[in-house]
């Protein structure tokens, strides 16, 4: 994700549009505040809902933080199942209860 100010966008519009065509997402800022997002059509815009989400999106755009992967990413659920109460039983055994 690339962040660019309004003035710089005006000066480099053709170059920025080529980057968007290649799949880059560009956040446009005005006095340090994100005011627009440029992306290829049909890529499904994700609008941050809260001020905290917007701040995190800005920090990610500036390269200060990396956001977590979307839901569905991670380890598959284990097929191994234990009877209900097994963890409590093991914990009590460990404590000597």
């Amino acid at each position: 994700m690339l962040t660019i100010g309004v003035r710089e966008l005006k000066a480099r519009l053709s170059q920025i549009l080529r980057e968007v065509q290649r799949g880059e997402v560009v956040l446009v800022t005005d006095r340090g505040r994100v005011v627009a997002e440029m992306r290829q059509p049909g890529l499904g815009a994700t609008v941050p809902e809260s001020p905290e989400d917007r701040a995190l999106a800005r920090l990610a755009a500036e390269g200060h933080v990396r956001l977590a992967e979307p839901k569905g990413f991670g380890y598959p659920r284990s097929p191994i199942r234990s009877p209900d109460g097994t963890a409590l039983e093991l914990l009590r055994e460990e404590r000597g209860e």
Side-chain angles (χ1 to χ4, degrees), residues 3-23:
T3 304
I4 189 167
V6 173
R7 280 188 224 163
E8 188 178 357
L9 176 64
K10 287 178 185 179
R12 298 178 38 204
L13 183 60
S14 295
Q15 177 187 355
I16 297 300
L17 288 176
R18 282 191 296 274
E19 290 183 35
V20 170
Q21 285 178 328
R22 287 193 295 266

Side-chain angles (χ1 to χ4, degrees), residues 70-86:
K71 290 180 181 177
F73 176 81
Y75 297 104
R77 187 175 181 161
S78 173
I80 300 170
R81 297 286 172 253
S82 300
D84 288 344
T86 302

Side-chain angles (χ1 to χ4, degrees), residues 25-64:
V25 176
V26 179
L27 298 179
V28 181
T29 61
D30 183 22
R31 296 181 185 95
R33 188 174 58 90
V34 177
V35 295
E37 182 175 309
M38 296 172 63
R39 65 173 65 232
Q40 287 180 331
L43 287 184
T46 54
V47 178
E49 296 150 5
S50 69
E52 292 83 8
D53 288 341
R54 286 191 294 274
L56 280 174
R58 181 179 49 79
L59 289 172
E62 293 170 358
H64 299 293

